[in-house]
């Protein structure tokens, strides 16, 4: 049985004060979450605050990106070992905003996945097509290419140490969620792709959905056979909404 994971991606939002309020809200409501594992991926500069507030709670935390390099002259970058220093369990790699605005290639994302894994962090590998790609009918080809880059570099068994998040770019921050059927179709495709190389890895792999997931649509999405949780942007900034999604995994 795959334990659902609901992870918040705060992106570049919040302040010290607002994050403190958010964490207090999460801590007081987390007791109602019985089934899902819960994590928040914070801006790196706040990870120290997040660590001191969440240590000893049921909520894990992580980074939103990391360097593919271990250390050295890479101004502005954050190494996997630094995320470890602040108790991170997870790190997002290959978010579509990194791919689009920072021109991260599939090969770079695969190297970041490897760097995270080598440091004992759990990489959350984001894949997903743009609206144009969906309309061209190349959704499966796009997510296959993004997934295969990791498999080619690290081998399929590396996925046993990670999580995949299917985030259709057209559904991110748009309020336009993929239907449960649309999402399930791609999740099933991704799992089958992994299964063609290793059935056990595929069976254990958590594949999260991300893209305008909210408390009122989470239940239907999470009910699908191959949707094992969510990667939540906007709705992870309000404790009530985020916890609402987490508790949707309860039933
Ligand atoms: P939204 O939930 O705001 O659509 O963002 C999804 C996302 O990009 C999570 O990584």
């Amino acid at each position: 049985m795959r334990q659902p994971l609901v992870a918040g991606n705060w992106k570049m939002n919040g302040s010290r004060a607002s994050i403190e309020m958010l964490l207090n809200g999460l801590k007081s409501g987390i007791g109602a979450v019985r089934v899902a594992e819960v994590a928040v991926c914070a801006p790196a500069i706040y990870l120290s605050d997040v660590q001191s507030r969440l240590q000893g709670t049921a909520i894990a935390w992580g980074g939103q990106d990391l360097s593919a390099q271990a250390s050295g002259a890479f101004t502005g970058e954050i190494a996997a070992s630094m995320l470890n220093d602040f108790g991170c369990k997870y790190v997002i790699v290959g978010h579509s905003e990194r791919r689009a605005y920072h021109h991260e290639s599939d090969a770079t994302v695969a190297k970041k996945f490897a760097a995270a894994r080598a440091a004992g962090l759990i990489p959350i590998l984001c894949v997903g097509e743009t609206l144009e790609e969906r309309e061209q009918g190349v959704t499966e080809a796009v997510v296959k290419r993004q997934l295969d880059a990791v498999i080619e570099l690290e081998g399929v068994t590396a996925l046993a140490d990670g999580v995949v998040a299917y985030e259709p770019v057209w559904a991110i921050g748009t309020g336009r969620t993929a239907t449960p059927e649309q999402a399930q179709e791609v999740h099933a495709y991704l799992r089958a792709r992994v299964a063609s190389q290793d059935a056990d890895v595929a069976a254990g792999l958590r594949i999260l959905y991300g893209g305008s997931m909210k408390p009122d649509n989470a239940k239907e999405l999470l009910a699908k056979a191959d949707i094992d949780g969510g990667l939540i942007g906007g709705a992870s900034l309000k404790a009530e909404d985020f916890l609402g999604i987490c508790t949707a995994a309860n039933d």
Side-chain angles (χ1 to χ4, degrees):
M1 233 350 237
R2 297 183 293 268
Q3 186 188 18
L5 169 65
V6 180
N9 174 9
W10 293 348
K11 307 192 180 183
M12 195 174 72
N13 291 297
S15 62
R16 261 192 132 163
S18 74
I19 285 171
E20 182 178 346
M21 272 176 48
L22 176 55
L23 292 172
N24 286 339
L26 293 180
K27 283 198 300 191
S28 56
I30 191 66
V33 180
R34 294 193 312 272
V35 173
E37 185 186 349
V38 176
V40 293
C41 295
I45 199 159
Y46 296 127
L47 283 170
S48 163
D49 288 0
V50 170
Q51 177 182 35
S52 57
R53 294 192 181 276
L54 292 185
Q55 206 136 45
T57 73
I59 307 170
W61 58 95
Q64 298 176 4
D65 180 41
L66 83 168
S67 174
Q69 313 293 331
S71 68
F74 301 101
T75 302
E77 298 242 43
I78 310 261
S81 59
M82 297 172 183
L83 295 174
N84 267 332
D85 252 354
F86 289 89
C88 289
K89 180 171 180 185
Y90 292 97
V91 62
I92 298 169
V93 298
H95 192 281
S96 60
E97 288 148 17
R98 301 289 317 171
R99 293 180 191 262
Y101 307 141
H102 300 271
H103 312 291
E104 290 188 10
S105 65
D106 294 329
T108 299
V109 172
K111 284 186 197 143
K112 290 186 173 198
F113 187 102
R117 194 172 158 246
L121 293 159
I122 300 176
I124 302 176
L125 170 70
C126 297
V127 301
E129 81 288 3
T130 62
L131 184 58
E132 198 185 2
E133 289 164 338
R134 173 159 283 263
E135 285 169 351
Q136 286 168 358
V138 295
T139 296
E140 290 186 356
V142 170
V143 298
K144 171 180 180 286
R145 193 195 72 220
Q146 294 169 332
L147 179 71
D148 283 1
V150 169
I151 298 175
E152 276 156 28
L153 184 70
E154 287 269 273
V156 71
T157 52
L159 291 172
D161 302 328
V163 173
V164 171
Y166 169 56
E167 298 208 313
V169 178
W170 48 271
I172 294 176
T174 59
R176 186 178 163 192
T177 320
T179 64
E181 292 70 30
Q182 280 174 320
Q184 166 60 25
E185 201 179 343
V186 181
H187 283 232
Y189 171 77
L190 288 164
R191 197 178 308 285
R193 176 82 196 142
V194 177
S196 70
Q197 299 179 52
D198 192 314
D200 289 342
V201 172
L205 180 65
R206 291 188 291 186
I207 307 178
L208 316 182
Y209 169 78
S212 300
M213 202 176 196
K214 310 277 180 227
D216 61 1
N217 61 28
K219 207 170 170 159
E220 269 189 308
L221 285 157
L222 295 173
K224 291 292 180 192
D226 291 293
I227 301 183
D228 308 310
L231 185 56
I232 320 300
S236 71
L237 299 171
K238 275 173 97 182
E240 192 188 338
D241 289 352
F242 186 59
L243 291 166
I245 295 173
C246 299
T247 51
N250 278 351
D251 31 44

